[in-house]
Amino acid sequence: MVRYLYERILSAMLTMFIVTAIIYTLLSLVQGSALDVMGGSGGEMSHADYEAIRHNLGLDLPVWARYGQWLRNVLRGDFGVSYRYGVPVGEVIAQRFGPSALLIGTGLAFAVLLGLPIGIMAAHRPGSLWDRLSSFFALAGMTAPRFIICITFIYFFSFKLRLTPSMGMHTVGNASFGDLVIHLILPVSIIAFSKMGYLIKQTRSACLEVFQEDYLNTARAKGLSETEVILKHGLRTAVAPILTQAMAEIPELVGSAAIVEKIFGWPGIGALMIEAIRNRDVPLIMGVTLVIAVVVLLANIFLDIAYGLLDPRVSYR
Amino acid sequence: MKRRLRAHILAMSLALALTACGRGPDTSEKVINMAFTTAWGSFNPYYSSSTTMYELSLYDKIFDKLVFTDLAGAEILPRAADRWESAGDGTEAVFYLNQNASWSDGQKVTAHDWVFTARLLADPASAFSTRVFTHILTGTNENGVLLDAETFGAEALDDTTLKFTFKERTDPEDFLLHYNRRFLVLPEHILGSVSPADILKSDFWRNPVGSGPCVYVSQMTGSEMVLAPNPHYHLGGGNWDKLVLRVLDSSSRLTVLMSGEIDQIELGSSISPNDKPIAEANGLTVRDGLVRNFFMDVLINENGIPDRRIRQALHYAIDKDAIIEAAAKDVADPAYGYEMLNTEYYDPSLAFPRDIEKAKALLREANYDGRLYTIAFASKRENIAALLTQQWKEAGINVEMVIVDVATMFSGLTSGIYDLGLSGHSATAYSLWFEGEFPANNTNASFIMDPARASYVDRIGHAIDKEEKIALVKEYQKYLAEQTWFIPLYFAGEYWVEPTRVSNIRGSASLMCNDNVWEWYVN
């Protein structure tokens, strides 16, 4: 197990190196730089000042040299200074990581908590009205554009019904938990709604397969209630592929949450990333990329460990 | 086991309830909620990673400016300067500063602070990304870099009298219209000890001391900022306690105004013509903007389309009324040059009425070979670009559309990747406002390095006699129309939502990147 973990972490580090190198190279190929955003192309700066700032930012170096410099600094714990905000990247990310983790974590938790029972019930009575309704619900969640869902939810719940605020993480001057919860309701609902579809589908198909197994009939013959049969015996076998699906959603979730964060003015790293790209803020883009890569790789390692704990047939080699 | 579980659940519920009831909102505070659709960067007004009006609007609250401008510059009111006058045969401008102006730490603002700021901008070692206006002062080179400290054209005659000496005759009001919004005073008593080369590293930018109407309280970087009134502000303060700036997506503008979560949106709470009936149906009061100063034009890369006849054909092929109908409905007028309709420089004789046959004739004359041009634009201008492309197609000009962000568009025009671009500008009453977009001495997206143009700009800039200036501007616009380095499309006003909770807001002034927050009043 320890050896396995050691190897996984090594391979994760290699993956991170490759990911950051690719992103850095792609960024260098993008039209326009931070200097262009500063007004370098619009005539704001003289040519001499343009060149001086380009040099100060290191933008006159070849891409491999810039990446090498960035990597060396990162290994020393220095993520650089954001071009736009003028403060250390680590500081900006530290401010914005918590809100994102809260939003994504709560959204995913609700997706699992709701998607799991809906999927199980759909699999328990395939072809029933419940099954068809849940399929429709899952399909809607998977296919409806997130942008449209956000606007629709805001229109009905914030504007028409005046039930929830439509922006921000809290009311100014109100740091209470209740206020946070009220602000979380809409964005979390959207994330949960859009992620639940995949989980319902996955749970349904995993459970359908397991529910046909003979050992469940044996359990029933022994006099166990249907709930006990499903929860104690059926679900245990089905949970591995469901967990895989839930974890596999994390990378996509980080990306799609950016849209939700942007529209709801939620101060997360997704919205930060959008602004960073718009401003060609390379140190910040790389910092956020690194954080997302670490989260995704850690989620994968966690998934591997959880898999082994849940399914005794899996061994670590 | 069950009992222990119950006890845990009970304890958690109690903790949650207590937390929820913890610190509730302070209802006695008068909070004004303001939204920005683009996040601000650092507090440094001279090293902004973006020169957007949004950031200028933020700096305006922390740092003071010489004057307050409204109605696209038609109205210039005192702010840090009580009055101003031209001197020295038109080459000098003297500003008489308000004696009560103070920094937020209580120290007095003096003319020396203004001179210090100008010196810092001109300093050869300065790490700032802009020198704003120092190139027009004596003692500097064409880029605004200080050459001779003795003759440097910024001088404090006494604590409250500031004098600028220009290289050429310059009308003080022209100076103010052009540079006021980007010239913000910095405190010498704090930054005076910092080397110009190290100025960006100063902690000052994290918690700045300004002499503007607000003081910084706190922020979540790039997402939310809390400001409070500056108790020392010489023009006074409104009746509010906190001004909260929040970043929101532009698609939520109307919703947050309708739900009352936001009192004011940056640059005047404007909404699109399509949103007007919805806003009114939901109880909001929508007003027609007082000025139509949003200038939309097609940028042309002269290197990409060097033949003037093809550029003119592009202009003749455009139906500006159709563009206006699609983009701005009844709050816009066709533009015939870069000067606004309500100025004396406006010249309706420069109209390029749509004439497809003339466009085709010009193309034949220029031996246009059907080459495919590329127009770049931001996604929000897609409807305009689509119409233009269609209209050009009718004249036989092939243009493909590329949706990019603004930085990419300007960079692509400069590097020659794109031939055309779509750009919006905030026009002012200053006769040469558009030159700021394409200064002759620097890089510019259209590669216009024309001596005749530079000569016009020079003569207009230094003309003090009004009649002479008007005649020169009209002549210059005619020249620009002949050359067609850009195609003016329209001047638009805006529908803006009148706040219900806050009064005394000058919505039209917001478009000049200044807000009269010291007069805002929470009802």
Side-chain angles (χ1 to χ4, degrees), chain A residues 30-34 36-49 53 56-57 83-88 91-92 95-96 99 147 151 154-155 158-160 162 164-178 183 262-263 265-267 272 275 277-280, chain B residues 16 19-20 22-26 31 33 37-42 47-51 55 128-131 143 182 206 219-224 242 244 246-249 251-252 255-256 258-262 282 405 407-408 410-412 414-415 417-418 436-437 439 442-445:
Chain A
V30 172
Q31 189 71 37
S33 71
D36 296 311
V37 183
M38 275 184 195
S41 304
E44 271 285 304
M45 286 180 226
S46 69
H47 187 67
D49 287 341
I53 295 171
N56 287 344
L57 295 176
Y83 293 158
R84 182 160 176 75
Y85 301 113
V87 291
E91 199 179 298
V92 184
Q95 278 188 341
R96 308 283 289 256
F147 176 79
I151 298 296
I154 287 175
Y155 181 74
S158 295
F159 174 62
K160 278 287 170 197
R162 310 257 167 164
T164 57
S166 69
M167 66 176 296
M169 190 172 156
H170 64 93
T171 310
V172 172
N174 187 354
S176 71
F177 179 72
H183 281 83
K262 186 87 176 71
I263 291 175
W266 190 266
L272 183 71
E275 283 294 329
I277 292 169
R278 184 187 286 175
N279 291 293
R280 308 290 191 271
Chain B
L16 281 178
T19 326
R23 200 157 72 80
D26 183 352
V31 178
N33 289 296
T37 51
T38 298
W40 49 83
S42 80
Y47 192 80
S48 164
S49 69
S50 148
T51 47
E55 279 182 334
F128 289 151
S129 65
T130 175
R131 300 186 191 274
N143 293 327
R182 292 191 292 130
R206 284 170 167 260
Q219 77 163 322
M220 165 83 84
T221 309
S223 176
E224 182 184 294
K242 276 182 183 164
V244 180
R246 285 180 156 167
V247 179
L248 91 164
D249 192 74
S251 61
S252 307
T255 324
V256 293
M258 291 194 301
S259 67
E261 287 172 88
I262 289 295
N282 285 285
D405 57 31
T408 307
F410 277 111
S411 164
T414 311
S415 61
I417 294 176
Y418 309 128
E437 313 292 324
N442 290 335
T443 53
N444 65 65

Side-chain angles (χ1 to χ4, degrees), chain B residues 184-341:
Chain B
L184 303 108
V185 65
L186 299 175
E188 185 177 19
H189 68 282
I190 297 174
L191 290 173
S193 56
V194 182
S195 141
D198 295 329
I199 197 85
L200 302 183
K201 296 173 193 158
S202 170
D203 278 344
F204 173 82
W205 308 115
R206 284 170 167 260
N207 189 4
V209 170
S211 59
C214 301
V215 288
Y216 167 73
V217 177
S218 64
Q219 77 163 322
M220 165 83 84
T221 309
S223 176
E224 182 184 294
M225 184 181 291
V226 181
L227 304 174
N230 178 358
H232 303 288
Y233 195 54
H234 61 281
L235 294 177
N239 73 335
W240 48 273
D241 301 303
K242 276 182 183 164
L243 175 63
V244 180
L245 315 178
R246 285 180 156 167
V247 179
L248 91 164
D249 192 74
S250 57
S251 61
S252 307
R253 290 176 80 100
L254 186 60
T255 324
V256 293
L257 286 167
M258 291 194 301
S259 67
E261 287 172 88
I262 289 295
D263 299 303
Q264 172 79 346
I265 297 180
E266 96 283 86
L267 311 180
S269 294
S270 63
I271 56 168
S272 75
N274 291 334
D275 286 342
K276 186 182 175 235
I278 305 167
E280 285 175 333
N282 285 285
L284 295 178
T285 307
V286 182
R287 303 220 180 273
D288 188 350
L290 295 171
V291 283
R292 295 187 174 184
N293 73 325
F294 180 76
F295 178 61
M296 177 63 72
D297 73 322
V298 177
L299 302 171
I300 302 177
N301 178 340
E302 203 195 3
N303 280 1
I305 312 178
D307 195 314
R308 189 178 69 181
R309 291 164 298 187
I310 296 179
R311 298 199 298 267
Q312 287 178 342
L314 284 163
H315 197 166
Y316 275 117
I318 294 173
D319 179 353
K320 293 180 186 175
D321 291 326
I323 302 283
I324 288 171
E325 178 59 27
K329 289 205 170 142
D330 48 348
V331 278
D333 302 295
Y336 302 139
Y338 67 84
E339 297 292 0
M340 287 185 294
L341 268 73

Side-chain angles (χ1 to χ4, degrees), chain B residues 413-434:
Chain B
L413 280 166
T414 311
S415 61
I417 294 176
Y418 309 128
D419 307 296
L420 303 152
L422 261 180
S423 181
H425 317 262
S426 187
T428 71
Y430 173 48
S431 58
L432 288 170
W433 74 267
F434 198 53

Side-chain angles (χ1 to χ4, degrees), chain A residues 220-243:
Chain A
R220 284 188 192 101
K222 280 181 172 176
L224 291 178
S225 71
E226 194 61 20
T227 312
E228 278 177 311
V229 169
I230 291 171
L231 294 181
K232 278 190 178 170
H233 297 278
L235 196 58
R236 173 137 197 203
T237 315
V239 83
I242 297 167
L243 189 68

Side-chain angles (χ1 to χ4, degrees), chain A residues 181-217:
Chain A
V181 170
I182 288 171
H183 281 83
L184 262 173
I185 292 173
L186 275 194
V188 161
S189 306
I190 288 161
I191 288 180
F193 174 64
S194 47
K195 286 295 125 196
M196 218 172 10
Y198 297 95
L199 284 162
I200 292 172
K201 283 277 168 204
Q202 184 62 46
T203 308
R204 184 184 179 276
S205 64
C207 288
L208 263 182
E209 207 175 299
V210 173
F211 289 173
Q212 313 296 323
E213 299 284 341
D214 288 341
Y215 70 89
L216 288 193
N217 287 330

Side-chain angles (χ1 to χ4, degrees), chain B residues 507-519:
Chain B
S508 51
S510 295
L511 289 168
M512 296 295 288
C513 305
N514 47 198
D515 283 309
N516 58 329
V517 288
W518 58 91
E519 292 171 334

Side-chain angles (χ1 to χ4, degrees), chain A:
Chain A
M1 174 80 165
V2 174
R3 186 183 160 78
Y4 171 79
L5 267 180
Y6 177 72
E7 282 173 5
R8 284 291 278 129
I9 289 168
L10 268 186
S11 98
M13 285 172 77
L14 181 68
T15 309
M16 265 192 288
F17 170 74
I18 294 169
V19 166
T20 54
I22 290 172
I23 299 284
Y24 207 99
T25 310
L26 288 175
L27 280 174
S28 73
L29 297 174
V30 172
Q31 189 71 37
S33 71
L35 272 167
D36 296 311
V37 183
M38 275 184 195
S41 304
E44 271 285 304
M45 286 180 226
S46 69
H47 187 67
D49 287 341
Y50 182 94
E51 287 302 325
I53 295 171
R54 191 161 164 256
H55 177 73
N56 287 344
L57 295 176
L59 296 174
D60 53 346
L61 295 171
V63 62
W64 57 266
R66 273 181 281 153
Y67 176 68
Q69 204 169 49
W70 176 82
L71 196 61
R72 268 196 305 278
N73 290 340
V74 165
L75 292 174
R76 285 199 293 257
D78 175 9
F79 290 82
V81 174
S82 159
Y83 293 158
R84 182 160 176 75
Y85 301 113
V87 291
V89 165
E91 199 179 298
V92 184
I93 293 176
Q95 278 188 341
R96 308 283 289 256
F97 183 77
S100 267
L102 178 69
L103 180 67
I104 294 172
T106 317
L108 191 60
F110 270 97
V112 172
L113 285 174
L114 295 170
L116 215 63
I118 294 173
I120 293 168
M121 285 161 74
H124 189 239
R125 294 215 172 89
S128 66
L129 179 64
W130 176 266
D131 185 25
R132 274 178 281 167
L133 272 177
S134 67
S135 286
F136 172 76
F137 193 67
L139 198 65
M142 287 191 292
T143 54
R146 216 138 301 162
F147 176 79
I148 302 289
I149 308 175
C150 288
I151 298 296
T152 312
F153 273 41
I154 287 175
Y155 181 74
F156 282 107
F157 297 106
S158 295
F159 174 62
K160 278 287 170 197
L161 302 173
R162 310 257 167 164
L163 288 176
T164 57
S166 69
M167 66 176 296
M169 190 172 156
H170 64 93
T171 310
V172 172
N174 187 354
S176 71
F177 179 72
D179 185 62
L180 175 66
V181 170
I182 288 171
H183 281 83
L184 262 173
I185 292 173
L186 275 194
V188 161
S189 306
I190 288 161
I191 288 180
F193 174 64
S194 47
K195 286 295 125 196
M196 218 172 10
Y198 297 95
L199 284 162
I200 292 172
K201 283 277 168 204
Q202 184 62 46
T203 308
R204 184 184 179 276
S205 64
C207 288
L208 263 182
E209 207 175 299
V210 173
F211 289 173
Q212 313 296 323
E213 299 284 341
D214 288 341
Y215 70 89
L216 288 193
N217 287 330
T218 311
R220 284 188 192 101
K222 280 181 172 176
L224 291 178
S225 71
E226 194 61 20
T227 312
E228 278 177 311
V229 169
I230 291 171
L231 294 181
K232 278 190 178 170
H233 297 278
L235 196 58
R236 173 137 197 203
T237 315
V239 83
I242 297 167
L243 189 68
T244 312
Q245 179 66 41
M247 287 295 159
E249 289 298 322
I250 288 179
E252 201 276 329
L253 197 51
V254 173
S256 60
I259 299 165
V260 178
E261 287 178 3
K262 186 87 176 71
I263 291 175
F264 282 94
W266 190 266
I269 53 168
L272 183 71
M273 185 66 148
I274 292 174
E275 283 294 329
I277 292 169
R278 184 187 286 175
N279 291 293
R280 308 290 191 271
D281 192 341
V282 175
L284 191 53
I285 296 172
M286 291 309 297
V288 176
T289 302
L290 196 65
V291 168
I292 293 174
V294 168
V295 168
V296 170
L297 291 168
L298 282 178
N300 281 334
I301 294 174
F302 172 77
L303 176 67
D304 288 349
I305 296 168
Y307 227 100
L309 294 175
L310 290 166
D311 190 343
R313 291 170 298 179
V314 175
S315 63
Y316 300 103
R317 283 182 190 158

